[in-house]
Amino acid sequence: IECCVISLRYLRGENYLQDVSTLSEKNLIDIQGGGSDLLFPHHFMSGAQAEAITGIEFAKAYVHSGMLGLDGEKMSKSKGNLLFVSKLLEKGVDPMEIRWALMSSKYSEDRMWTDSVLHGAREKVAKLRRVLSRSEVAPVKPLLRDLVEALSNDLDTPTALAAIERWCDLTERQTTSEGNLMVDESGLVSRAIDSLLGLAL
């Protein structure tokens, strides 16, 4: 009930109970999110309680992320095996490599963090930077379409990253062959992946 009331207070405003009678929306909030461990009973109960209090359905959509493990075990405070992004940054790990590694699996699925996941991300980010440094690259419209389609499909970041990898491979192949269409649009790709995926390269 505490989470339910906090959500209503800070998302709908201090007078959410008085304002409910004037609402035209079918839901009190757009998205309720959290880890998959909160799906039931936590978010189920928050939604039921909010509807009981207000008479209006709580959330339009529920989004739950998978749990992240470390080297084969679930991360938890009790086990003392938490890995913090801040610690990785202190060690000099590139933030874009961390972001790529996290997006290489579907947000809603449980996954493991390992050194090999980070190493793979490091290689892919380096390759992307190398390709983006070229004056001419493979055509970008198909890539941009694939990125938007992937992210529109329940934030399918693994598919989006695979599209980027295919485009990088195509660019590298075309620069070593003759007669292929190349465009001066690496800046457009750089801006697109920053805007869509937060990969600021």
Side-chain angles (χ1 to χ4, degrees):
I1 190 68
E2 182 181 32
C3 290
C4 167
V5 173
I6 288 171
S7 298
L8 293 173
R9 160 64 180 84
Y10 288 101
L11 296 175
R12 295 302 316 189
E14 236 177 85
N15 299 317
Y16 67 89
L17 283 176
Q18 290 83 9
D19 296 341
V20 160
S21 61
T22 63
L23 286 182
S24 58
E25 298 114 273
K26 294 181 180 177
N27 304 93
L28 295 163
I29 65 173
D30 290 327
I31 300 171
Q32 168 73 55
S36 58
D37 57 334
L38 299 177
L39 181 58
F40 185 86
H42 192 85
H43 286 166
F44 177 83
M45 288 303 297
S46 291
Q49 290 161 342
E51 189 169 355
I53 293 168
T54 64
I56 298 174
E57 204 172 317
F58 186 49
K60 192 179 295 183
Y62 289 83
V63 178
H64 295 92
S65 61
M67 305 309 288
L68 190 60
L70 178 64
D71 296 324
E73 291 188 7
K74 178 185 170 187
M75 280 195 211
S76 69
K77 288 184 212 172
S78 61
K79 289 184 178 181
N81 66 344
L82 298 177
L83 179 65
F84 295 97
V85 170
S86 59
K87 296 296 182 193
L88 291 171
L89 295 174
E90 284 174 14
K91 291 179 181 177
V93 177
D94 183 335
M96 296 307 106
E97 294 167 3
I98 298 168
R99 185 176 289 274
W100 186 291
L102 289 170
M103 290 190 297
S104 65
S105 298
K106 192 81 178 350
Y107 79 91
S108 57
E109 296 172 359
D110 292 348
R111 58 240 166 124
M112 285 292 151
W113 181 270
T114 64
D115 287 339
S116 64
V117 169
L118 186 57
H119 180 71
R122 182 171 294 125
E123 290 177 347
K124 290 168 184 173
V125 167
K127 182 178 187 176
L128 178 56
R129 282 192 169 119
R130 192 170 60 244
V131 168
L132 289 175
S133 70
R134 298 172 186 262
S135 57
E136 292 190 324
V137 295
V140 302
K141 284 185 182 176
L143 170 63
L144 299 181
R145 181 198 63 233
D146 290 347
L147 291 177
V148 170
E149 284 179 5
L151 296 176
S152 297
N153 182 21
D154 193 27
L155 294 176
D156 188 353
T157 54
T159 297
L161 295 181
I164 292 171
E165 289 183 69
R166 284 193 307 275
W167 176 80
C168 287
D169 291 340
L170 181 61
T171 295
E172 291 185 331
R173 277 197 312 273
Q174 288 188 355
T175 54
T176 59
S177 61
E178 294 180 11
N180 287 303
L181 179 65
M182 298 292 277
V183 294
D184 183 13
E185 293 185 333
S186 60
L188 177 59
V189 174
S190 183
R191 290 187 298 276
I193 61 176
D194 184 11
S195 298
L196 295 170
L197 295 165
L199 288 168
L201 302 172

